[in-house]
Amino acid sequence: MKEWHIILLAAGLGVVNSFDAPGRQAFVVDMVGREDLPNAIALNSMMFNSARIIGPAMGSLLLAVIGPAWCFTINGISFLR
């Protein structure tokens, strides 16, 4: 894979995430209503920040235990819906 492929994929992911995160946050009000909004915002923030901590920790453990090929396979499978 050439370098420009990686740069193009990283740029595409950045563009998608710049629309995805605000879009998800905009739907929080519609899903929970005004009375539960502070709790929903706190829960959303907790899940996002927990994923930023727990995900890399689990990834590093898996990398040490099963190796990089299986880590890439698991990551690829995680994107299937």
Side-chain angles (χ1 to χ4, degrees), residues 27-41:
F27 285 121
V28 171
V29 178
D30 295 334
M31 290 189 300
V32 298
R34 294 272 180 206
E35 64 277 354
D36 293 327
L37 187 59
N39 291 334
I41 291 172

Side-chain angles (χ1 to χ4, degrees):
M1 190 177 234
K2 303 267 185 196
E3 293 86 11
W4 69 270
H5 289 122
I6 296 170
I7 293 170
L8 186 66
L9 288 171
L13 181 62
V15 169
V16 168
N17 283 338
S18 69
F19 289 101
D20 181 54
R24 288 179 188 265
Q25 291 174 357
F27 285 121
V28 171
V29 178
D30 295 334
M31 290 189 300
V32 298
R34 294 272 180 206
E35 64 277 354
D36 293 327
L37 187 59
N39 291 334
I41 291 172
L43 183 61
N44 187 28
S45 297
M46 183 192 71
M47 289 187 333
F48 179 76
N49 289 320
S50 296
R52 291 177 64 185
I53 295 169
I54 295 169
M58 287 179 53
S60 64
L61 289 174
L62 284 174
L63 184 62
V65 173
I66 64 175
W70 280 106
C71 286
F72 278 106
T73 303
I74 292 169
N75 186 34
I77 291 170
S78 73
F79 284 96
L80 298 175
R81 292 187 189 213

